[in-house]
Amino acid sequence: MATKTNPGNYFEDFRLGQEIRHATPRTITSGDMALYTALYGTRFAVNSSDEFARGLGLPRAPIDDILAFHIVFGKTVPDVSLNAVANLGYASGRFGEPVYVGDTVSTTSTVIGLRQNKDGASGIVYVRSIGTNQRREMVLDYCRWVMVRKKNVDAPVQSSVVPDLPDAVQGGDLIVPHKIHIGSYDFDLAGSRFVWDDYEQGEKIDHVDGMTIEEAEHMMATRLYQNTAKVHFDALMQKGSRFGRRLIYGGHIISLARAISFNGLANAFKVAAINGGRHVAPTFAGDTIYAWSEVVAKTELSGRRDVGALRLRTVATKDKPCADFPYKDSAGTYDPAVVLDFDYTVLLPKRV
Amino acid sequence: MATKTNPGNYFEDFRLGQEIRHATPRTITSGDMALYTALYGTRFAVNSSDEFARGLGLPRAPIDDILAFHIVFGKTVPDVSLNAVANLGYASGRFGEPVYVGDTVSTTSTVIGLRQNKDGASGIVYVRSIGTNQRREMVLDYCRWVMVRKKNVDAPVQSSVVPDLPDAVQGGDLIVPHKIHIGSYDFDLAGSRFVWDDYEQGEKIDHVDGMTIEEAEHMMATRLYQNTAKVHFDALMQKGSRFGRRLIYGGHIISLARAISFNGLANAFKVAAINGGRHVAPTFAGDTIYAWSEVVAKTELSGRRDVGALRLRTVATKDKPCADFPYKDSAGTYDPAVVLDFDYTVLLPKRV
Amino acid sequence: MATKTNPGNYFEDFRLGQEIRHATPRTITSGDMALYTALYGTRFAVNSSDEFARGLGLPRAPIDDILAFHIVFGKTVPDVSLNAVANLGYASGRFGEPVYVGDTVSTTSTVIGLRQNKDGASGIVYVRSIGTNQRREMVLDYCRWVMVRKKNVDAPVQSSVVPDLPDAVQGGDLIVPHKIHIGSYDFDLAGSRFVWDDYEQGEKIDHVDGMTIEEAEHMMATRLYQNTAKVHFDALMQKGSRFGRRLIYGGHIISLARAISFNGLANAFKVAAINGGRHVAPTFAGDTIYAWSEVVAKTELSGRRDVGALRLRTVATKDKPCADFPYKDSAGTYDPAVVLDFDYTVLLPKRV
């Protein structure tokens, strides 16, 4: 009589090149869109209004790109990170086809790297995960690496392979869904007159607004994404952890930061890439999240006069407003208020 | 390099006759309806059941009128009341076309009055806001006035204009959507046998039920309406305010009171007008809201034998049940438990 | 001038054979599905993916059966249990037609038993409730009994009738919606390879995961089901109760237990029957819920080679993990951690 529950994979269970078809395909509903708005207060017009989306050549409002990320990501948790010690990083994330209500999203992953830690008790697993819709079109393709416990410290492991991951998605690899063209873009309705041309490399923007997080909110969000990591839900178990309480899913902070970034980046109508990201410190219910952004680079897109890309670093803090852009000190140590250092690329209309 | 964030408008920024097209058009989804039910527990059959709505001549269940109000209102906040000291009042609110899932709602406002306060540090801004659907049909047309800070106390301002706003929407101005006719109205399914004819002017109804508010609930509601007023979300900033904590959006209390009023007004299937309203005292998470109503007036609608209007005053209290109808003392001072004094007009079936 | 509020029925108001058409028909939306996922984190693929549901012969993903139960149940509260002292039990629950987005669900009940308690202050009311969709097809047919207060202790009551309710729904009475056939069932996407054949009578499964409940969550859930029992919502009133705080709707625990049971029962794609159930102890916000299941019986379904039934007992506890299957001691007294003892029947694919 086999054990029926899923113990998750331990470090020694992964094999280089292993392919995993993750469970729980998910048909996106307008309920997901409403909950996403209720949880983060996002205001990007293209995700809020079918009419506005049509002005960009889209059939109707797609879901927020970061919501698509959470749905794709959540499916990987039971197989990849149920026994994780830490979620270490992201790279090479590219968004493909926009996701619409009615689309069914599935995720598959490939193990692209494995490196045991020196203590032999854990190791780093690198996976490339691809989310697809019901037509097998790619909606998100990204890499992440996590530190995973070994179940048996003495279990033999493969020799180390660490994949060569780029610092950022290159401009030529960015995907602008081919339907998108800036036709009748209405800047009043979008909430800002600032276009791609108005931003400068090195420019810093304090997004001003703060948002305090409640336990009910981050748990509802994380369950909506069908992310099963226990640390987010089980207060009794967490009492015995070093934090003494439930940890908030790091992706919840990404969504808050993106929603807060509307104030200053209202025309960043699409996330095209996730270049990298680090959850610098854990967050808990009661924390108030603020954010600021720096324009890391401006990229012209070949063949596109109407759309340009900005590579951004958005930094989120807890319990510290961002008027003075808290980040790292001269030794490279993060300000203790910083919780997220997120490197991504967004699309904006260009001035015509 | 211009500041990219929205500083909001200060009193001296408004001009009489100024028209503002507000940002963030919003396509209504069934997710909004489900969340509205989850947040308030509303039970009016016409908003709960497509089948029931068809019995009234409607194509399907429209969204709750007060939800439409919140969506229209929320869009005005970044332009009108980001620097508000207080939301002072409402008048002349008329609901037009019912709002359905799939409709895209936008709001425009006109400044109809300006009056600087004697201290010169703030002034009162009167706006008329009109919410429309994607066919440019009016869904809500209402006035409100707010006290807004000046940025520069010495800034010159226009001479005072205070608009002449009526005490109540007149019967002849009430809109009964032309499709509505009381055909196969099922009183069992509606939850009450009391029709327009059964209510008397001056009658008071204790709605009995109480509802305690959580931080997660009022924040999810207020974000769903894309209302960006910081006082509702930023606990850290609010610690330094005179209240020491997050303030609940006043409209959240209107929705609670309307949902609670089902018990006693189950057949008030539509809100036709908002005559006036005052948020008498602030509310906070942990408060338990109760409500009672008085029938202020009964109005026959010309040409309608099947529908009549009741002008109601619904009073909401916190932490005090309403069996003895708490309101004002002989000097006109509100009972300290009162938080909302709401004057509106509803439609009910008439006995045939 | 009649009292307009609903006082609910007291024990002496019920009559044997009485039929009650409950209020508030409800059109199911995809918002309900999204909220259900956000509240419980359920992962059964058939309810999550339209594509997966089509592989079982269904037109698209039906709502979770327990969500259908809550919607049908909620409507009975204002008429049956507004003056209830306790919800005592369930029996003979059979699920019929699956419920889909767009269906409108209504409930009618028949009083099938009445027995006054010896103290004369209350009595037990037995009702059979039937939920139907807009085509009058049965979606759920179940019995429950509740202890209801008398308003007037001296009111005469009918002689006692206690219905003969079966211990369990018999295999021949189980309904497998005729469209369901296990065609292209994908075990990777379902999340487990264990089919009906792999489970043994008497087998116990610890579902491992724990979920802590917040006030905002259980109130949003209970309002979503339009269940109006005040004990769940009014913290001020509850301060004066013997519990001193809001009680969580027992059905919320059923949903949590079912969602948690995915880990070990991922292929139990449908609840076919509720044989019985007991809310052993009350639950409150802050409690962490765990669950384990025992396979009570395995049932072959006549004419079905592709689907089999398991009768399960799922036991939920609070603040106690279930590795040692807490239940009753030798005297039949429940472990103090047990909050739910739920006896139901699920369908799983058979090995072909």
Side-chain angles (χ1 to χ4, degrees):
Chain A
M1 203 167 63
T3 296
K4 300 296 192 301
T5 47
N6 170 27
N9 288 308
Y10 289 87
F11 181 70
E12 64 264 38
D13 298 326
F14 291 97
R15 293 286 168 271
L16 204 66
Q18 180 183 355
E19 295 209 0
I20 306 170
R21 294 179 69 234
H22 301 294
T24 319
R26 177 76 139 72
T27 302
I28 306 299
T29 73
S30 68
D32 299 317
M33 295 184 82
L35 267 164
Y36 197 80
T37 303
L39 288 163
Y40 305 109
T42 184
R43 289 184 285 149
F44 293 98
V46 69
N47 307 123
S48 179
S49 165
D50 286 345
E51 303 288 314
F52 192 92
R54 280 182 202 119
L56 270 72
L58 299 170
R60 58 189 177 287
I63 69 170
D64 192 286
D65 299 298
I66 304 295
L67 171 55
F69 169 79
H70 295 319
I71 298 273
V72 170
F73 180 100
K75 302 188 188 325
T76 68
V77 171
D79 299 309
V80 173
S81 50
L82 208 62
N83 301 307
V85 184
N87 194 16
L88 297 174
Y90 310 101
S92 283
R94 294 185 311 144
F95 289 89
E97 275 299 297
V99 178
Y100 298 99
V101 167
D103 283 355
T104 298
V105 174
S106 305
T107 309
T108 56
S109 294
T110 307
V111 178
I112 57 169
L114 287 170
R115 191 188 70 189
Q116 184 169 265
N117 286 328
K118 282 176 189 160
D119 65 4
S122 61
I124 298 175
V125 180
Y126 299 78
V127 296
R128 176 181 178 184
S129 299
I130 300 179
T132 51
N133 64 20
Q134 69 281 7
R135 290 181 301 276
R136 314 281 172 206
E137 294 162 337
M138 183 273 278
V139 299
L140 173 63
D141 179 345
Y142 74 103
C143 299
R144 73 161 170 146
W145 52 108
V146 287
M147 192 184 300
V148 178
R149 269 188 292 274
K150 289 182 75 175
K151 185 167 191 180
N152 171 9
V153 173
D154 300 323
V157 295
Q158 292 185 306
S159 58
S160 286
V161 173
V162 174
D164 188 25
L165 295 170
D167 280 346
V169 176
Q170 297 306 303
D173 293 333
L174 293 174
I175 297 170
V176 183
H178 62 280
K179 282 174 184 154
I180 285 183
H181 63 96
I182 305 300
S184 59
Y185 198 94
D186 185 320
F187 291 93
D188 279 352
L189 295 183
S192 166
R193 305 220 145 249
F194 298 109
V195 294
W196 181 85
D197 313 72
D198 299 315
Y199 292 85
E200 294 179 21
Q201 190 176 337
E203 179 176 356
K204 293 179 178 179
I205 303 161
D206 170 18
H207 300 303
V208 179
D209 304 312
M211 196 70 82
T212 306
I213 309 173
E214 301 298 314
E215 298 279 16
E217 294 167 359
H218 77 83
M219 292 201 299
M220 288 183 70
T222 310
R223 284 187 298 243
L224 186 69
Y225 315 141
Q226 296 172 311
N227 176 330
T228 61
K230 299 177 204 180
V231 293
H232 308 314
F233 303 114
D234 186 334
L236 186 68
M237 180 188 79
Q238 286 302 100
K239 240 184 233 172
S241 76
R242 70 186 167 112
F243 300 114
R245 50 202 160 140
R246 280 165 279 181
L247 276 171
I248 293 175
Y249 162 52
H252 195 66
I253 308 303
I254 297 176
S255 282
L256 274 175
R258 164 81 173 146
I260 290 171
S261 81
F262 177 88
N263 197 351
L265 288 161
N267 288 320
F269 65 83
K270 177 150 186 53
V271 179
I274 295 175
N275 302 305
R278 189 168 161 202
H279 300 294
V280 176
T283 57
F284 308 99
D287 289 348
T288 301
I289 302 299
Y290 300 87
W292 66 272
S293 296
E294 178 173 356
V295 179
V296 176
K298 294 186 68 172
T299 309
E300 308 242 12
L301 299 169
S302 68
R304 302 292 310 219
R305 289 190 154 187
D306 55 346
V307 178
L310 295 181
R311 181 176 171 193
L312 299 173
R313 170 184 298 116
T314 292
V315 175
T317 59
K318 66 177 176 188
D319 298 337
K320 184 173 188 175
C322 292
D324 60 351
F325 311 115
Y327 191 44
K328 293 176 178 173
D329 64 15
S330 55
T333 307
Y334 279 104
D335 183 297
V338 172
V339 295
L340 174 72
D341 186 356
F342 195 58
D343 181 338
Y344 62 117
T345 300
V346 294
L347 304 182
L348 287 90
K350 290 177 82 169
R351 186 160 288 126
V352 286
Chain B
M1 204 166 64
T3 297
K4 300 296 192 299
T5 47
N6 170 28
N9 288 309
Y10 290 88
F11 181 69
E12 64 264 38
D13 297 327
F14 291 97
R15 292 287 168 266
L16 203 67
Q18 180 184 356
E19 295 210 358
I20 307 170
R21 294 178 69 230
H22 301 292
T24 320
R26 177 75 139 71
T27 301
I28 306 298
T29 73
S30 68
D32 299 318
M33 295 183 83
L35 267 164
Y36 198 81
T37 303
L39 289 164
Y40 305 109
T42 184
R43 290 184 284 148
F44 294 97
V46 69
N47 307 123
S48 178
S49 165
D50 286 344
E51 303 286 316
F52 192 92
R54 281 182 201 118
L56 268 70
L58 299 170
R60 59 192 177 286
I63 69 169
D64 192 286
D65 299 298
I66 304 296
L67 171 54
F69 169 79
H70 295 319
I71 298 274
V72 171
F73 180 100
K75 302 187 188 327
T76 68
V77 170
D79 298 310
V80 173
S81 50
L82 207 62
N83 301 306
V85 184
N87 193 15
L88 297 174
Y90 309 101
S92 284
R94 293 186 312 142
F95 290 89
E97 275 299 297
V99 178
Y100 298 98
V101 167
D103 284 353
T104 298
V105 174
S106 306
T107 308
T108 57
S109 294
T110 307
V111 178
I112 58 169
L114 288 169
R115 191 188 68 190
Q116 182 169 267
N117 286 326
K118 282 174 189 163
D119 63 4
S122 60
I124 299 175
V125 180
Y126 298 80
V127 295
R128 178 182 177 182
S129 299
I130 300 179
T132 50
N133 64 20
Q134 70 282 7
R135 290 181 301 277
R136 314 282 173 203
E137 295 162 336
M138 184 272 279
V139 300
L140 173 61
D141 179 344
Y142 75 103
C143 299
R144 73 161 169 145
W145 51 107
V146 287
M147 192 184 300
V148 178
R149 269 188 292 273
K150 289 182 75 175
K151 186 167 192 182
N152 172 9
V153 173
D154 299 324
V157 297
Q158 292 185 305
S159 58
S160 286
V161 173
V162 174
D164 188 26
L165 295 169
D167 280 346
V169 175
Q170 297 306 304
D173 293 333
L174 293 173
I175 297 169
V176 183
H178 61 279
K179 282 175 183 154
I180 286 184
H181 61 95
I182 306 300
S184 59
Y185 198 96
D186 185 320
F187 291 93
D188 280 352
L189 295 184
S192 166
R193 306 219 145 251
F194 299 109
V195 294
W196 181 86
D197 313 73
D198 298 316
Y199 292 85
E200 294 178 24
Q201 188 177 339
E203 180 176 354
K204 292 178 177 180
I205 302 160
D206 172 18
H207 300 303
V208 180
D209 304 313
M211 195 72 80
T212 306
I213 308 173
E214 301 298 314
E215 297 280 16
E217 294 167 359
H218 77 82
M219 292 201 299
M220 288 183 71
T222 309
R223 284 187 297 244
L224 186 69
Y225 314 141
Q226 296 172 309
N227 176 330
T228 60
K230 300 178 203 178
V231 292
H232 309 313
F233 303 115
D234 185 334
L236 186 70
M237 180 189 78
Q238 286 302 101
K239 238 182 233 173
S241 76
R242 69 186 167 113
F243 300 114
R245 50 201 160 140
R246 282 165 279 182
L247 275 171
I248 293 175
Y249 162 51
H252 194 67
I253 308 303
I254 297 176
S255 284
L256 274 175
R258 165 81 173 147
I260 290 171
S261 81
F262 178 87
N263 197 350
L265 287 162
N267 289 320
F269 65 83
K270 176 148 188 53
V271 179
I274 295 175
N275 302 304
R278 190 169 160 199
H279 300 293
V280 177
T283 57
F284 308 99
D287 288 348
T288 302
I289 302 299
Y290 300 87
W292 66 272
S293 296
E294 178 173 355
V295 178
V296 175
K298 295 186 66 171
T299 308
E300 308 240 12
L301 299 169
S302 69
R304 302 291 311 220
R305 288 190 155 188
D306 56 345
V307 178
L310 295 181
R311 182 178 170 191
L312 300 173
R313 170 184 298 115
T314 291
V315 174
T317 59
K318 67 178 177 186
D319 298 339
K320 184 172 187 174
C322 291
D324 60 352
F325 311 112
Y327 191 46
K328 292 177 178 172
D329 64 17
S330 55
T333 307
Y334 280 104
D335 183 297
V338 172
V339 295
L340 173 72
D341 186 356
F342 194 58
D343 181 339
Y344 62 117
T345 300
V346 295
L347 305 182
L348 288 90
K350 290 177 81 170
R351 186 161 288 125
V352 286
Chain C
M1 204 165 62
T3 297
K4 301 295 192 299
T5 47
N6 171 28
N9 289 309
Y10 289 89
F11 181 69
E12 64 266 37
D13 297 326
F14 291 97
R15 292 288 168 267
L16 203 66
Q18 180 183 354
E19 297 209 358
I20 306 170
R21 293 179 68 232
H22 302 293
T24 319
R26 177 75 139 72
T27 302
I28 306 299
T29 73
S30 67
D32 299 317
M33 296 183 83
L35 267 164
Y36 197 81
T37 303
L39 288 164
Y40 305 109
T42 184
R43 289 184 285 149
F44 293 98
V46 68
N47 308 122
S48 179
S49 165
D50 286 345
E51 303 287 315
F52 192 93
R54 282 183 201 118
L56 269 72
L58 299 171
R60 59 189 177 286
I63 69 169
D64 191 286
D65 299 299
I66 304 295
L67 172 55
F69 170 79
H70 296 319
I71 298 273
V72 170
F73 179 100
K75 301 187 189 328
T76 69
V77 171
D79 299 311
V80 173
S81 50
L82 207 62
N83 301 306
V85 184
N87 193 16
L88 297 173
Y90 310 100
S92 284
R94 294 185 312 143
F95 289 88
E97 274 300 297
V99 178
Y100 299 98
V101 167
D103 283 355
T104 297
V105 173
S106 305
T107 309
T108 57
S109 295
T110 306
V111 178
I112 59 169
L114 288 169
R115 191 185 70 187
Q116 182 169 270
N117 286 326
K118 283 175 187 163
D119 65 4
S122 61
I124 299 175
V125 179
Y126 297 80
V127 295
R128 177 180 178 184
S129 299
I130 301 179
T132 51
N133 64 21
Q134 70 282 7
R135 291 180 301 277
R136 314 282 172 204
E137 296 162 335
M138 184 273 279
V139 300
L140 173 63
D141 179 344
Y142 75 104
C143 300
R144 74 160 169 145
W145 51 107
V146 287
M147 192 184 301
V148 178
R149 270 188 292 276
K150 289 182 75 176
K151 184 167 191 183
N152 171 9
V153 175
D154 299 323
V157 295
Q158 292 186 304
S159 58
S160 288
V161 173
V162 175
D164 189 25
L165 295 170
D167 280 347
V169 175
Q170 297 305 304
D173 293 334
L174 293 174
I175 297 169
V176 183
H178 62 278
K179 282 175 184 154
I180 287 184
H181 62 96
I182 306 300
S184 59
Y185 198 95
D186 184 320
F187 291 94
D188 280 352
L189 295 183
S192 166
R193 305 218 146 252
F194 298 110
V195 293
W196 181 86
D197 313 73
D198 297 316
Y199 292 85
E200 294 178 23
Q201 189 177 338
E203 180 175 355
K204 292 179 178 179
I205 303 160
D206 171 19
H207 300 303
V208 180
D209 304 313
M211 195 71 81
T212 306
I213 309 173
E214 301 298 315
E215 297 281 14
E217 294 167 359
H218 77 81
M219 291 201 299
M220 287 183 70
T222 310
R223 284 187 297 243
L224 187 68
Y225 315 142
Q226 295 171 311
N227 176 330
T228 62
K230 300 177 204 180
V231 293
H232 309 314
F233 304 114
D234 185 335
L236 186 70
M237 181 188 79
Q238 286 302 100
K239 238 183 234 173
S241 76
R242 71 188 167 108
F243 300 114
R245 49 200 161 142
R246 281 165 279 181
L247 275 170
I248 293 175
Y249 162 51
H252 194 67
I253 308 303
I254 297 175
S255 283
L256 274 175
R258 165 80 172 147
I260 290 171
S261 82
F262 178 89
N263 197 351
L265 287 161
N267 288 320
F269 65 84
K270 176 151 186 51
V271 179
I274 294 175
N275 302 305
R278 188 168 162 200
H279 300 294
V280 176
T283 56
F284 307 100
D287 289 348
T288 302
I289 301 300
Y290 300 88
W292 65 272
S293 297
E294 177 172 356
V295 179
V296 176
K298 295 186 66 171
T299 308
E300 308 240 13
L301 299 169
S302 68
R304 303 292 309 221
R305 288 188 153 189
D306 55 344
V307 178
L310 295 182
R311 182 178 170 191
L312 300 173
R313 169 183 299 114
T314 291
V315 174
T317 59
K318 67 177 176 187
D319 297 337
K320 184 173 188 173
C322 291
D324 59 352
F325 311 113
Y327 191 45
K328 291 177 178 173
D329 65 18
S330 56
T333 306
Y334 280 104
D335 183 296
V338 172
V339 296
L340 174 71
D341 185 356
F342 195 57
D343 181 338
Y344 61 117
T345 300
V346 295
L347 304 182
L348 288 88
K350 290 177 81 169
R351 187 160 287 126
V352 285

